[in-house]
Amino acid sequence: MKAYLFIKGFLFDNIMEYQLTHSEENYLKEIFHLSGVDAFRVSTNNLAARLNSKASSITDMLQKLAEKELVSYVKYKGCNLTDKGEGIAVQIIRKHRLWETFLVMKLNFGWEEVHDIAEQLEHIDSTKLIDSLDHFLDYPKFDPHGDPIPDKDGKITYRKAKIKLSETVVNSLVEIVSVNEDSASLLTYLEKNNLVLGICIRIIEKYEFDKSMRIALENGNELNLSKKVIENIGVKFISKT
Amino acid sequence: MKAYLFIKGFLFDNIMEYQLTHSEENYLKEIFHLSGVDAFRVSTNNLAARLNSKASSITDMLQKLAEKELVSYVKYKGCNLTDKGEGIAVQIIRKHRLWETFLVMKLNFGWEEVHDIAEQLEHIDSTKLIDSLDHFLDYPKFDPHGDPIPDKDGKITYRKAKIKLSETVVNSLVEIVSVNEDSASLLTYLEKNNLVLGICIRIIEKYEFDKSMRIALENGNELNLSKKVIENIGVKFISKT
DNA sequence: ATTAATTTTTAGTCTTGTCTAAAAATATGT
DNA sequence: ACATATTTTTAGACAAGACTAAAAATTAAT
Ligand SMILES: [Mn+2]
Ligand SMILES: [Mn+2]
Ligand SMILES: [Mn+2]
Ligand SMILES: [Mn+2]
């Protein structure tokens, strides 16, 4: 069952002993994100788009990662993380989210400023560092965007019954529990409109013609939110009138 | 006076806009350290030894750094940092020492554990991050090994009248103000013997045959310290009996 | 002032990660 | 089923950063 690996003239009996490059780590992380909870197969073009890279570069790297038994790769059929690969991906995500939490909680960064810096910090290699940071932050469960932080052992506790705001029905009352962190400008927009974690909103009306939505905040303020916005907010159902 | 630079098809009118690689940053930092306060010329072989690299690799890189106007390099005559190069080197050292301070002060690392991690963290690129960290740590003046932390503008306030313990004379009373951070095992040894920053010691005797020294701690305990050890401790003179 | 030893540079090779262009496989539409 | 469109892979190139081996320059020793 043990896998042996011959790299650069050295024999490794455990992949963990071999340090991955930033690039390799980014591939694993992105495959994890694209696979979703059901571990879909990820296509070459998909990965290329997300990594701002070309399909041919992806193919090259997938072959290398398959060689190292971090992904299962079938020509023309896309790829999947192996258990090893997934384990590594989750640890990188743990580091990313803990660093984002540190930046917001301790250094007073805005939630729209932390992702790019965390993209660098997630590659720092020290288990003791990340576990100490986790302790220092008092073992946070979610990052500044509401995403769950994997624990030391890689266990991720997903939010139960989280749906997109765009999927809610008129008259329901919901609480914002996460936001998509991809765009800093969206995060700034959300904060300006007080659409932050923990806020409750009521869906007043949904418009079919452009898939937008009218909502009310707790203070009675009403807002129109575009399709793009409501697809990037995660909510928890509270009640319905 | 302005320098223009053509790199990878782009024209830069300010070197700072161009991101350096980790490798380039390590070269600049090491040249700074080897130059000393008097800005000696640094030889290729010296640099190769410190960077665990070969002389030929050094030559290649020096030519590249000279092209970017970060070092002044004269064939067969070694190199020197330009003002630009020195400015960058100092900022990397600032990051290194602030991160070391963070690890010791906030995450409770030992002083012998932090250097290797700081070697990674010093390359994180974010001015806002490092200035926030500086504030969070309350603008520390020295790192865990007693080395001065450059400020935001690159100003370094060196300790006045610091000498090596090996250079002191018998019967003087001195205070430990810095230790060489290069060897984790030396740091562990020093801590075990309570030879930490702020401690005062008296020189009892110096032995010519092996350049070792006998010293007394404040509690009366006496110790023999080897040449190697006393050359790696920086002290401040207090008094003489 | 020559010769010998040491240091530094050049020339050529390798690996990693990327790219473009062309070929091959797969998916789609009628 | 067959032609067309799309996706993916291969082939070949390049830049960065490192290495070895050999050549050139500098320094040290007689
Ligand atoms: Mn992020
Ligand atoms: Mn996040
Ligand atoms: Mn250090
Ligand atoms: Mn230090």
Side-chain angles (χ1 to χ4, degrees):
Chain A
M1 213 58 211
K2 220 175 204 178
Y4 289 90
L5 214 51
F6 197 69
I7 300 169
K8 288 190 181 176
F10 293 96
L11 187 67
F12 294 89
D13 62 349
N14 180 346
I15 187 65
M16 294 313 210
E17 292 172 19
Y18 182 67
Q19 257 323 114
L20 300 179
T21 65
H22 290 196
S23 189
E24 290 172 319
E25 291 190 346
N26 286 336
Y27 274 78
L28 294 180
K29 189 180 51 153
E30 208 49 56
I31 295 167
F32 182 86
H33 283 135
L34 287 174
S35 293
V37 280
D38 305 309
F40 294 123
R41 253 174 187 281
V42 175
S43 79
T44 302
N45 264 0
N46 255 265
L47 216 36
R50 294 283 312 175
L51 292 169
N52 295 312
S53 190
K54 303 292 155 147
S56 56
S57 309
I58 306 297
T59 302
D60 279 358
M61 182 61 96
L62 289 182
Q63 291 171 345
K64 235 189 311 179
L65 293 174
E67 184 61 37
K68 295 184 182 178
E69 302 189 59
L70 299 171
V71 306
S72 86
Y73 164 68
V74 182
K75 256 192 190 182
Y76 295 102
K77 298 292 172 192
C79 70
N80 238 342
L81 293 177
T82 60
D83 287 350
K84 265 186 232 171
E86 185 174 323
I88 294 173
V90 169
Q91 285 309 312
I92 298 162
I93 291 164
R94 167 170 162 81
K95 289 192 276 182
H96 183 103
R97 293 181 180 166
L98 279 171
W99 279 116
E100 285 188 343
T101 305
F102 169 72
L103 294 174
V104 168
M105 302 304 289
K106 299 294 182 177
L107 301 192
N108 301 116
F109 276 68
W111 68 351
E112 79 286 358
E113 301 176 294
V114 298
H115 178 75
D116 289 345
I117 302 177
E119 285 291 307
Q120 298 182 62
L121 286 163
E122 72 189 4
H123 301 292
I124 302 293
D125 174 38
S126 166
T127 305
K128 174 158 186 182
L129 170 57
I130 208 62
D131 291 341
S132 301
L133 190 64
D134 197 11
H135 175 73
F136 183 59
L137 299 171
D138 210 13
Y139 305 100
K141 293 270 182 296
F142 299 96
D143 85 356
H145 314 103
D147 292 314
I149 299 175
D151 73 12
K152 199 171 154 54
D153 303 316
K155 173 136 187 56
I156 308 180
T157 326
Y158 291 98
R159 213 134 206 165
K160 54 285 151 195
K162 184 182 92 171
I163 54 172
K164 289 183 187 170
L165 178 52
S166 57
E167 294 163 349
T168 56
V169 296
V170 170
N171 284 329
S172 33
L173 181 70
V174 299
E175 178 190 338
I176 300 181
V177 295
S178 76
V179 292
N180 191 323
E181 67 176 18
D182 286 349
S183 155
S185 58
L186 174 63
L187 290 170
T188 303
Y189 170 89
L190 293 178
E191 187 158 42
K192 270 205 186 91
N193 290 103
N194 200 30
L195 297 166
V196 299
L197 302 190
I199 288 288
C200 288
I201 60 188
R202 181 173 299 283
I203 291 80
I204 299 177
E205 204 171 349
K206 296 183 78 171
Y207 307 103
E208 190 51 39
F209 65 95
D210 69 349
K211 310 280 188 204
S212 73
M213 181 183 268
R214 184 166 188 79
I215 59 118
L217 295 176
E218 285 165 290
N219 59 16
N221 279 359
E222 297 192 2
L223 278 171
N224 286 333
L225 300 178
S226 72
K227 174 174 187 282
K228 187 69 173 273
V229 168
I230 62 182
E231 279 178 345
N232 284 291
I233 296 178
V235 298
K236 181 175 78 179
F237 178 80
I238 301 217
S239 65
K240 191 156 181 301
T241 36
Chain B
M1 212 59 211
K2 220 174 203 178
Y4 289 90
L5 214 49
F6 198 69
I7 299 169
K8 285 190 184 175
F10 293 96
L11 187 67
F12 294 88
D13 62 349
N14 181 344
I15 187 67
M16 294 315 210
E17 292 172 18
Y18 181 68
Q19 257 323 112
L20 300 178
T21 64
H22 289 196
S23 189
E24 290 172 318
E25 291 190 344
N26 286 336
Y27 274 79
L28 294 180
K29 190 180 50 152
E30 207 50 54
I31 295 168
F32 182 87
H33 283 136
L34 287 175
S35 295
V37 280
D38 306 308
F40 294 122
R41 254 172 188 284
V42 175
S43 78
T44 302
N45 263 359
N46 255 266
L47 217 35
R50 293 285 310 177
L51 292 168
N52 295 312
S53 189
K54 302 292 158 152
S56 56
S57 310
I58 306 297
T59 301
D60 280 358
M61 182 60 96
L62 288 182
Q63 292 171 344
K64 235 189 311 179
L65 293 175
E67 185 61 38
K68 295 184 181 177
E69 303 189 59
L70 298 172
V71 305
S72 86
Y73 164 68
V74 182
K75 254 191 190 179
Y76 294 102
K77 298 292 173 189
C79 70
N80 237 342
L81 291 178
T82 62
D83 288 350
K84 264 186 233 168
E86 184 174 322
I88 294 173
V90 169
Q91 286 308 313
I92 298 162
I93 290 165
R94 168 171 160 80
K95 289 190 278 183
H96 183 102
R97 292 180 181 166
L98 279 171
W99 279 116
E100 286 188 342
T101 305
F102 168 73
L103 294 174
V104 168
M105 302 303 289
K106 300 293 182 178
L107 301 192
N108 300 116
F109 276 69
W111 69 351
E112 79 286 356
E113 300 175 297
V114 297
H115 178 75
D116 289 345
I117 301 177
E119 285 291 308
Q120 299 181 63
L121 286 164
E122 71 188 5
H123 300 293
I124 301 294
D125 175 38
S126 166
T127 304
K128 173 157 187 181
L129 170 57
I130 208 63
D131 291 341
S132 301
L133 190 64
D134 198 10
H135 175 72
F136 183 58
L137 298 171
D138 210 12
Y139 304 101
K141 292 270 182 297
F142 298 96
D143 86 354
H145 315 102
D147 292 313
I149 299 175
D151 73 13
K152 198 171 155 52
D153 303 317
K155 174 136 185 56
I156 308 180
T157 326
Y158 291 98
R159 213 136 208 166
K160 55 286 149 193
K162 184 182 93 172
I163 55 171
K164 288 182 187 168
L165 178 52
S166 57
E167 294 162 349
T168 56
V169 297
V170 170
N171 284 328
S172 34
L173 183 69
V174 298
E175 178 190 337
I176 299 180
V177 295
S178 77
V179 292
N180 191 321
E181 68 177 17
D182 287 349
S183 155
S185 56
L186 174 62
L187 290 170
T188 302
Y189 170 88
L190 292 178
E191 187 158 43
K192 268 204 188 96
N193 289 103
N194 199 33
L195 296 167
V196 299
L197 303 188
I199 287 288
C200 289
I201 59 186
R202 180 174 298 281
I203 292 81
I204 299 179
E205 204 171 349
K206 296 182 76 170
Y207 305 105
E208 191 49 39
F209 64 95
D210 67 351
K211 310 280 190 204
S212 73
M213 182 184 266
R214 184 165 187 82
I215 59 117
L217 296 175
E218 288 166 289
N219 59 16
N221 278 0
E222 298 192 2
L223 279 172
N224 287 332
L225 300 178
S226 72
K227 174 173 186 284
K228 188 70 172 272
V229 168
I230 62 182
E231 278 176 346
N232 284 293
I233 296 179
V235 298
K236 181 174 78 176
F237 178 80
I238 301 218
S239 65
K240 189 157 182 303
T241 35

